[in-house]
Each structure stands twice: as C-alpha cells, then as structure tokens.
C-alpha cells in the first residue's frame, strides 16, 4: 500500500449540521466525525495544513441551502479554529468555484488526506478531482459516511453498500484507501512542523 511520504493537508468536507436532517435517510459509519476529530487533533498538534469545505446549496429545498443558517453550520465536534481555512462552494467538488487548488500549490502541498460528508457527493467528487489534478490522495474510509439512496429504477440501496461501492471505485485509480489508524500510524514517521503563532 502506498504510504504518506510528505506532510499532507487534511481536507474536512462539508461536515455540517444540515446532514443531520432526516430527509437524507439512513447513514452508515456513525463514528466518522469522531475519527475526523482524531485526525484534526493530530494535524493541529503538528501544525499541518487543515482545510474545510462548506457547502452552500443553491437548491431551495436542500438542508444545506445557503439561507438555512443552522443547516450550513459546521458540526460542533469538528468546528474550525479561527486560523483554519474554509472554502465555500455551491457544487459537489471542493475544487470547483474555489481557490483550493491554487492555495495548495502556493503552499507546495502535494499530498491530501480526505475526510467528510457525504461519500457519494462531495467526498467522491473531490477525491476524483484531487487524483486527476495530480495530488497524492488518501481517502480515509472510516472518516467518511454515505446515505441510503433509491436509484432511477426504484431500487433501494443501503448506505453500507453505497459506501462500499463508492470506495471500491475510487481505490487505486483516484486514491489510496486508508483507515484513521493507518493514517495516524503513518504520520508518526513524519517530522513535526513548528506550530503557527496563534496570538
């Protein structure tokens, strides 16, 4: 398995209160937010790059609609610190309509560790673009979560199956699939960076 060789940026995609709305249906991986927090804690201790995306939907009935002040808020468990960067977007890729790619190149970041919500939306789309743009991409499968869907033929698909097939499609071609613990084990081998001055 490919390993993390350079200090990576941690992407936390759309972990917003609107995803708790029952309209999404059943979800898998209830521990995703706790695993993201473990990674955030490690990144913060090391002074590494942390970037959030915040989805501001233009769809009027979306729980993440830009006018839904509660729905677009970040969940408390992963709330960004004042010095952590947030890119706002209206579509499912954190690279489209934002300066994410430019920022990463300016910071000379070549490796991305991707987490967030939801697997079949922003996570999948951003992971594919990250791989296509040439970033060394790691997708943390237990720090993301999927929702149930009914397809165009009226066939129901469980969130666990959506997660499994989305991750399988991203494996190798777009990203290296890892767990939270595997990431934590790998980054222990990398040198810590100096903490930014937060005064």
């Amino acid at each position: 398995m490919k390993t993390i060789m350079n200090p990576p940026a941690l992407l936390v995609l759309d972990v917003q209160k609107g995803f708790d709305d029952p309209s999404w249906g059943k979800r898998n991986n209830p521990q995703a937010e706790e695993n993201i927090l473990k990674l955030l804690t490690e990144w913060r201790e090391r002074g590494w790059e942390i970037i959030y995306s915040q989805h501001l939907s233009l769809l009027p009935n979306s729980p993440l609609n830009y006018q839904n002040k509660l729905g677009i808020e970040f969940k408390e468990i992963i709330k960004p610190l004042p010095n952590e960067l947030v890119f706002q977007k209206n579509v499912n890729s954190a690279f489209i309509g934002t300066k994410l790619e430019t920022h990463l190149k300016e910071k000379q970041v070549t490796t991305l560790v991707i987490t967030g919500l939801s697997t079949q939306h922003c996570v999948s789309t951003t992971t594919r673009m990250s791989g296509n743009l040439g970033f060394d991409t790691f997708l943390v499968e237990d720090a993301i979560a999927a929702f149930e869907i009914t397809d165009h033929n009226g066939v129901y698909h469980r969130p666990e199956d959506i997660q499994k097939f989305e991750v399988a499609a991203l494996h190798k071609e777009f990203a290296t699939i890892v767990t939270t613990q595997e990431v934590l084990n790998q980054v222990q081998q990398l040198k810590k960076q100096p903490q930014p001055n937060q005064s």
Side-chain angles (χ1 to χ4, degrees):
M1 182 179 72
K2 184 184 287 188
T3 58
I4 298 170
M5 302 297 294
N6 299 301
L10 178 65
L11 297 192
V12 181
L13 304 175
D14 302 359
V15 185
Q16 296 164 242
K17 294 179 180 178
F19 274 120
D20 292 333
D21 190 282
S23 64
W24 296 102
K26 294 179 182 178
R27 183 192 126 166
N28 80 320
N29 215 15
Q31 74 275 21
E33 287 87 347
E34 292 179 5
N35 287 330
I36 295 170
L37 179 59
K38 291 177 184 177
L39 295 170
L40 279 171
T41 301
E42 182 73 19
W43 257 248
R44 287 165 175 166
E45 288 180 355
R46 290 173 172 270
W48 285 350
E49 189 80 12
I50 297 170
I51 300 171
Y52 300 77
S53 71
Q54 182 182 32
H55 194 74
L56 306 179
S57 176
L58 302 178
L59 299 174
N61 296 323
S62 172
L64 301 174
N65 180 270
Y66 70 99
Q67 293 180 319
N68 181 356
K69 299 302 182 185
L70 179 61
I72 64 174
E73 283 185 10
F74 290 104
K75 295 188 180 187
E76 294 298 326
I77 189 172
I78 62 86
K79 198 167 186 179
L81 298 179
N83 63 315
E84 294 171 349
L85 194 60
V86 177
F87 286 109
Q88 295 180 329
K89 62 183 183 58
N90 306 119
V91 294
N92 288 329
S93 173
F95 287 101
I96 293 178
T98 74
K99 295 183 179 180
L100 175 57
E101 181 185 4
T102 300
H103 174 79
L104 293 170
K105 289 182 176 178
E106 287 176 350
K107 293 285 187 176
Q108 297 183 317
V109 172
T110 59
T111 304
L112 300 183
V113 172
I114 296 180
T115 69
L117 302 175
S118 74
T119 304
Q120 68 257 48
H121 297 115
C122 186
V123 170
S124 176
T125 311
T126 301
T127 299
R128 288 169 183 270
M129 284 200 67
S130 177
N132 284 339
L133 290 170
F135 292 100
D136 197 9
T137 305
F138 293 80
L139 178 62
V140 190
E141 64 176 332
D142 59 354
I144 60 176
F147 290 92
E148 64 182 352
I149 59 174
T150 299
D151 69 20
H152 58 292
N153 292 317
V155 178
Y156 171 78
H157 300 277
R158 302 183 312 141
E160 293 81 6
D161 293 331
I162 297 300
Q163 177 94 337
K164 179 171 64 176
F165 293 128
E166 288 278 355
V167 169
L170 295 168
H171 175 55
K172 289 187 178 179
E173 185 170 359
F174 299 101
T176 300
I177 309 302
V178 289
T179 65
T180 299
Q181 192 57 53
E182 285 171 344
V183 172
L184 294 174
N185 291 344
Q186 289 185 30
V187 300
Q188 292 299 323
Q189 310 303 316
L190 300 177
K191 184 179 178 181
K192 289 192 176 184
Q193 302 298 307
Q195 287 270 19
N197 187 347
Q198 298 185 19
S199 62

